[in-house]
Amino acid sequence: MTSVNPGTQPVVLAFDRQDDVKKFENTKLGVKGLVDSGVTQIPSIFHHPPENLVDTGNSAPDTGSGADPIPVIDLSGPTPEVVDQVRKAAGTYGFFQVINHGVPVSLLDRLVKAVKAFHELPAEERMKHYRRDMTTGVNYFSNVDLFVSKAASWRDTLQLRLGPIMADVDSIPDICRNEILEWDKEVKQLTEKLLGLFSQGLGVKADKLVEMSCSGGKVMVGHYYPYCPEPNKTVGIACHTDPGVLTVLLQDQVGGLQIKHQGNWVNFKPVHGALVINVGDLLQILSNDKYTSVEHRVYANPQHEPRVSIAVFCNPSKRDDLYGPLPEIVSPEEPAHYRQFTYSEFINSTLNYATNQCLDHNFLPNPIFPIPEIMTANTSSISSLSNYNRDKELQEFDNTKLGVKGLVDSGIIQIPRIFHHPPDTLFHLSNTDSSSEQDQTIPVIDLLSKQAEIVQSIRDASAKFGFFQVINRGISVCLLDRLLDRIKAFHELPPEQKIPHYRRDTTTCSSGGVGFYSNFDLFQSDAASWRDTLEIRLEQFDPKALPEVCR
Ligand SMILES: O=C(O)CCC(=O)C(=O)O
Ligand SMILES: [Fe+2]
């Protein structure tokens, strides 16, 4: 799309990509739909920068070559030995596989088959499930971050909330419902067992992490990585760490997962019947870096056989409890590397993860919750933190691109400190005393009155209040009502539709004169205010840049 800038060359507006992304989203068929349509070249929205790419040389990297260094742990072994193996693997690789884990291998096989069958349903069946809004707890989409990432990846996902409250069971596609419900029961037991082993590996009581509700919030994703005709231009999942406590991953035999170990990418060789376990960012923090949350990625599938993987992300369900290095394991000799924070705060601090409520996890800009401050463990409340870094928190808030509405949607119960105004500037909403100011009302001037009266009223109001209201001003009241309603509708759009409009500078060509932001003076004022804004430069804007909902 081009637009003409008066007196200069045509300029290419930056929303070309967003149009292509929307077109792809509107197919409701994901990358599987593209493959089925016979594409031989992948659309440019999937092109990743060279530093993200994996050279697969058009065939799968050899997942079998060399010694496979990632430990396989037999959970049926004696507990002290298992604890020791878990502690070592979690501290060095951040990843390991478990066998004899108690989940019937036949169920694992059936689950992979059922999730694959869902992704291979006829187009008209599959697209009925395509949605991003989280109300039922069941979602099917391609790329959780489609509208915010710079490049999309070659993967579709069926996502389900397993806990603390199971998704609406009737919304789970029939073709995989029974298998998912069976898996949910098994994975609950397995994750509690694993949290027991992780706790003991830190030398704290076995039920410590379960008591902290570390696996109470669970999200399952069933990924489908179909054949990619240009695997050297995109990826299956870009390099990331999982933000939560721990991840249980079931993969089929196709291969494609790679983990970073000592600076090198290591292929994760699938073992039939085994489950892959990895440490998330929160567990690294809770363990005060004794366990490590490791970067991993999946290359775009160069084989005609599609790859299926099913991950369960475990997160705390107690949002307002404090998390941070376990007090039992910090001491003056081994001080805490991170401060204490609530899980809500953790979510708010990680890019739009909170605000779109997709606890599918990936693609956080920082591999670890950015808490550089070293705090000792006796901190009992966030508000008593002395190491408040305002610039950093402002930047993190701006990075969510969702304004204060995003904070409200994420369920915060305390407003972040960047919004705290000094007491002398605050209103007292509970003050009902009728002061002299409250008795006075701002004049309403009827523009259909006699000219002389109008002039007199305007002169008086301007002198006394500097403000007045006008009625009968020739603009249809119905239009005004619609305008208010549409601006409200814009602010209440789902995150993925609002985020593309987030920008502070509406003077650039690429903005089209339109921008959505929270607090125009966010980085200059002493305290931010509880308000978001859609700005339109009336003198010069591109109608196409306006959000459709209020165009
Ligand atoms: O598909 C895989 O093997 C890995 C998936 C993954 O890393 C994720 O969903 O976070
Ligand atoms: Fe992951």
Side-chain angles (χ1 to χ4, degrees), residues 401-430:
K401 299 179 190 256
L402 285 168
V404 294
K405 172 78 167 71
L407 293 178
V408 175
D409 290 345
S410 73
I412 54 157
I413 50 164
Q414 289 184 331
I415 66 169
R417 191 148 152 192
I418 54 171
F419 293 94
H420 290 188
H421 277 251
D424 54 325
T425 61
L426 296 173
F427 297 94
H428 295 284
L429 295 177
S430 58

Side-chain angles (χ1 to χ4, degrees), residues 223 225 237 240 242 249 257 296 298 307 309 313 361-362:
H223 296 310
Y225 302 87
I237 279 193
H240 68 282
D242 293 347
L249 179 90
L257 174 63
H296 52 287
V298 175
R307 173 173 187 264
S309 73
F313 305 104
H361 57 301
N362 301 316

Side-chain angles (χ1 to χ4, degrees), residues 52-66 228 231-232 234-236 251 253-259 265-270 297-305 307:
N52 283 11
L53 297 172
V54 184
D55 185 9
T56 56
N58 275 331
S59 63
D62 180 5
T63 52
S65 69
C228 178
N232 295 334
T234 190
V235 297
Q251 58 169 337
Q253 299 302 294
V254 174
L257 174 63
Q258 299 185 316
I259 71 167
W265 285 106
V266 176
N267 289 319
F268 210 115
K269 185 181 170 191
R297 66 184 185 183
V298 175
Y299 51 79
N301 186 1
Q303 305 173 85
H304 284 272
E305 177 66 21
R307 173 173 187 264

Side-chain angles (χ1 to χ4, degrees), residues 249-369:
L249 179 90
L250 166 62
Q251 58 169 337
D252 66 10
Q253 299 302 294
V254 174
L257 174 63
Q258 299 185 316
I259 71 167
K260 204 52 151 325
H261 182 59
Q262 296 175 342
N264 299 315
W265 285 106
V266 176
N267 289 319
F268 210 115
K269 185 181 170 191
V271 171
H272 179 238
L275 290 164
V276 175
I277 311 299
N278 67 285
V279 173
D281 297 348
L282 262 178
L283 186 52
Q284 172 166 340
I285 294 171
L286 291 164
S287 74
N288 206 26
D289 294 333
K290 299 241 165 13
Y291 299 150
T292 170
S293 172
V294 160
E295 285 177 314
H296 52 287
R297 66 184 185 183
V298 175
Y299 51 79
N301 186 1
Q303 305 173 85
H304 284 272
E305 177 66 21
R307 173 173 187 264
V308 172
S309 73
I310 295 147
V312 174
F313 305 104
C314 299
N315 304 294
S317 52
K318 294 186 184 163
R319 289 184 159 231
D320 301 321
D321 282 9
L322 288 176
Y323 295 87
L326 297 177
E328 295 89 329
I329 62 170
V330 296
S331 62
E333 296 75 45
E334 278 204 50
H337 298 177
Y338 308 92
R339 66 179 171 88
Q340 303 278 315
F341 48 85
T342 61
Y343 183 55
S344 297
E345 190 187 352
F346 177 76
I347 297 176
N348 289 341
S349 301
T350 49
L351 179 80
N352 68 45
Y353 167 164
T355 39
N356 66 17
Q357 299 290 309
C358 284
L359 291 187
D360 174 22
H361 57 301
N362 301 316
F363 313 110
L364 302 174
N366 300 303
I368 283 288
F369 179 51

Side-chain angles (χ1 to χ4, degrees), residues 105-341:
V105 174
S106 59
L107 169 61
L108 301 183
D109 291 344
R110 281 193 294 122
L111 180 64
V112 168
K113 248 191 174 154
V115 168
K116 181 161 186 259
F118 166 76
H119 285 282
E120 292 175 355
L121 279 173
E124 61 285 3
E125 279 299 309
R126 212 164 75 234
M127 69 201 299
K128 284 187 205 152
H129 297 277
Y130 199 95
R131 73 177 84 88
R132 290 177 192 271
D133 101 80
M134 305 291 292
T135 39
T136 62
V138 182
N139 295 82
Y140 166 52
F141 47 68
S142 186
N143 286 254
V144 63
D145 56 349
L146 185 68
F147 293 94
V148 288
S149 68
K150 293 211 172 78
S153 302
W154 205 252
R155 162 186 102 257
D156 299 329
T157 301
L158 174 66
Q159 175 176 292
L160 249 122
R161 187 185 61 232
L162 301 182
I165 298 167
M166 180 61 159
D168 171 29
V169 170
D170 293 337
S171 302
I172 307 176
D174 291 348
I175 198 159
C176 51
R177 185 182 300 130
N178 292 340
E179 290 77 6
I180 289 175
L181 294 177
E182 280 180 59
W183 170 236
D184 172 49
K185 285 201 197 97
E186 298 288 348
V187 88
K188 179 169 188 302
Q189 287 184 20
L190 176 64
T191 50
E192 291 186 359
K193 187 176 191 169
L194 289 163
L195 287 179
L197 297 170
F198 280 120
S199 299
Q200 293 173 79
L202 293 172
V204 303
K205 63 177 186 165
D207 52 3
K208 177 76 186 173
L209 293 170
V210 173
E211 264 178 13
M212 293 174 75
S213 84
C214 282
S215 63
K218 282 207 250 352
V219 176
M220 177 195 126
V221 288
H223 296 310
Y224 184 83
Y225 302 87
Y227 162 68
C228 178
E230 293 186 294
N232 295 334
K233 291 197 173 150
T234 190
V235 297
I237 279 193
C239 166
H240 68 282
T241 60
D242 293 347
V245 177
L246 81 104
T247 305
V248 175
L249 179 90
L250 166 62
Q251 58 169 337
D252 66 10
Q253 299 302 294
V254 174
L257 174 63
Q258 299 185 316
I259 71 167
K260 204 52 151 325
H261 182 59
Q262 296 175 342
N264 299 315
W265 285 106
V266 176
N267 289 319
F268 210 115
K269 185 181 170 191
V271 171
H272 179 238
L275 290 164
V276 175
I277 311 299
N278 67 285
V279 173
D281 297 348
L282 262 178
L283 186 52
Q284 172 166 340
I285 294 171
L286 291 164
S287 74
N288 206 26
D289 294 333
K290 299 241 165 13
Y291 299 150
T292 170
S293 172
V294 160
E295 285 177 314
H296 52 287
R297 66 184 185 183
V298 175
Y299 51 79
N301 186 1
Q303 305 173 85
H304 284 272
E305 177 66 21
R307 173 173 187 264
V308 172
S309 73
I310 295 147
V312 174
F313 305 104
C314 299
N315 304 294
S317 52
K318 294 186 184 163
R319 289 184 159 231
D320 301 321
D321 282 9
L322 288 176
Y323 295 87
L326 297 177
E328 295 89 329
I329 62 170
V330 296
S331 62
E333 296 75 45
E334 278 204 50
H337 298 177
Y338 308 92
R339 66 179 171 88
Q340 303 278 315
F341 48 85

